[in-house]
Amino acid sequence: MEPDTRTEVVLLACGSFNPITNMHMRLFELARDHLHETGKYKVVKGIISPVGDGYQKKGLIEAYHRVAMAVLASESSNWVKVDPWESEQEEWVETAKVVRHLHEELRMSGQCKDEADHVKKGKKRKLGASEGGESEKLLNTAVPELKLLCGADLLESFGTPNLWKEEDIAEIVGKYGLVCVTRSGSDAQRFIYQSDLLWKHKKNIHLVNEWITNDISATRIRRALRRAQSVKYLLPEPVLDYIQSHNLYSPDSEEKNADVILAPLQKHANLSK
Ligand SMILES: Nc1ncnc2c1ncn2[C@@H]1O[C@H](COP(=O)(O)OP(=O)(O)OP(=O)(O)O)[C@@H](O)[C@H]1O
Ligand SMILES: NC(=O)c1ccc[n+]([C@@H]2O[C@H](COP(=O)(O)O)[C@@H](O)[C@H]2O)c1
Ligand SMILES: [Zn+2]
């Protein structure tokens, strides 16, 4: 049998997930199919990273509820998991830092796996002279690439003044890569064309067309819930049960952070003063 030479990829989706919807889970399926169809990649894992309370977005309910709902949603998948690290941080964390942190975790777990293999085999492999010099280091063959998975609206938010730092965008698209789910007629392609930075890294940006369109958004779901309208079949059934049993999403919860400026805008506006 031919050896599998495809590059292993882990997909990371960052967002409010307030609440997680069927569309969020679909993003992972669409992205995995797209990367597999290139013949170059093998998607080995998907990670959902709900933003922390420090993000201070209007209507953002407590992170522990959003994480619990994401965990319930991920139970219907055998490859998508939730990472609560970002949600547990006291202050809002830039997405570039989240990507860096999770990549480091992947590297460490790859190394642990590698070490365990070597212990089993009773030997260590040496890195080539160009990389490791004389010193004996462990070969880190097991680390997959980590790519940020998003919708076209998140990509287009790169253009909002004071929301993203240029160097963060450069790091995310240049060093890691982006998989962006877009709709036919969406302007993601034009957005990349109009940005010198994104154009430079366009090989690292995978645009995925969503042919079976699905306009579910968490904002619309919260609106329906406030109006006591049904949201059945728009989110996983266990998530809906959780929302109902904890009485989440009311007119009051929508007013949370109403008078507060979004954390990235506060942070970057202060930096540019
Ligand atoms: N219908 C959709 N099509 C493509 N991408 C989507 C869709 N809904 C959400 N996403 C993507 O999912 C990620 C997480 O989004 P987020 O938590 O903001 O969900 P949302 O449904 O957009 O919520 P809200 O309405 O509160 O903004 C983002 O990258 C966003 O672009
Ligand atoms: N500068 C940044 O790193 C930056 C700015 C704005 C949003 N984000 C992230 O993008 C995601 C956006 O989520 P929402 O679409 O729900 O607001 C969140 O995970 C948030 O942390 C990152
Ligand atoms: Zn959104």
Side-chain angles (χ1 to χ4, degrees), residues 76-233:
S76 62
S77 170
N78 59 6
W79 65 282
V80 178
K81 308 272 176 255
V82 179
D83 192 304
W85 179 83
E86 180 184 0
S87 73
E88 288 163 353
Q89 306 310 303
E90 193 94 6
E91 291 196 359
W92 171 72
V93 188
E94 284 97 336
T95 299
K97 271 195 199 153
V98 178
V99 178
R100 235 177 274 147
H101 169 84
L102 290 175
H103 189 248
E104 187 55 23
E105 276 195 348
L106 280 176
R107 212 179 59 78
M108 295 309 290
S109 65
Q111 210 159 55
C112 293
K113 197 168 144 257
D114 220 32
E115 259 168 34
D117 287 350
H118 294 312
V119 170
K120 263 189 236 150
K121 288 177 194 156
K123 61 178 182 187
K124 284 185 176 180
R125 281 181 282 168
K126 282 183 184 172
L127 273 181
S130 59
E131 289 169 84
E134 294 298 299
S135 66
E136 191 178 40
K137 289 183 186 164
L138 289 170
L139 238 191
N140 203 358
T141 49
V143 186
E145 286 187 10
L146 180 63
K147 296 192 185 295
L148 187 68
L149 169 62
C150 69
D153 58 316
L154 193 138
L155 176 82
E156 289 176 5
S157 82
F158 286 173
T160 306
N162 284 330
L163 195 61
W164 295 81
K165 283 190 279 183
E166 187 96 349
E167 66 255 39
D168 282 6
I169 300 174
E171 182 179 354
I172 292 169
V173 291
K175 187 170 171 195
Y176 298 96
L178 199 68
V179 182
C180 174
V181 176
T182 174
R183 299 201 176 98
S184 50
S186 127
D187 259 355
Q189 221 148 3
R190 178 180 297 274
F191 189 79
I192 294 168
Y193 163 70
Q194 285 172 340
S195 154
D196 287 343
L197 177 59
L198 296 180
W199 187 255
K200 182 174 157 198
H201 296 292
K202 64 182 184 302
K203 278 210 179 100
N204 256 347
I205 306 177
H206 300 266
L207 287 184
V208 183
N209 247 315
E210 187 200 2
W211 293 113
I212 308 177
T213 54
N214 179 344
D215 234 355
I216 301 175
S217 92
T219 302
R220 290 176 182 173
I221 295 213
R222 293 198 305 279
R223 186 178 296 135
L225 287 165
R226 288 200 300 281
R227 296 176 183 177
Q229 292 166 341
S230 168
V231 291
K232 199 169 164 75
Y233 309 120

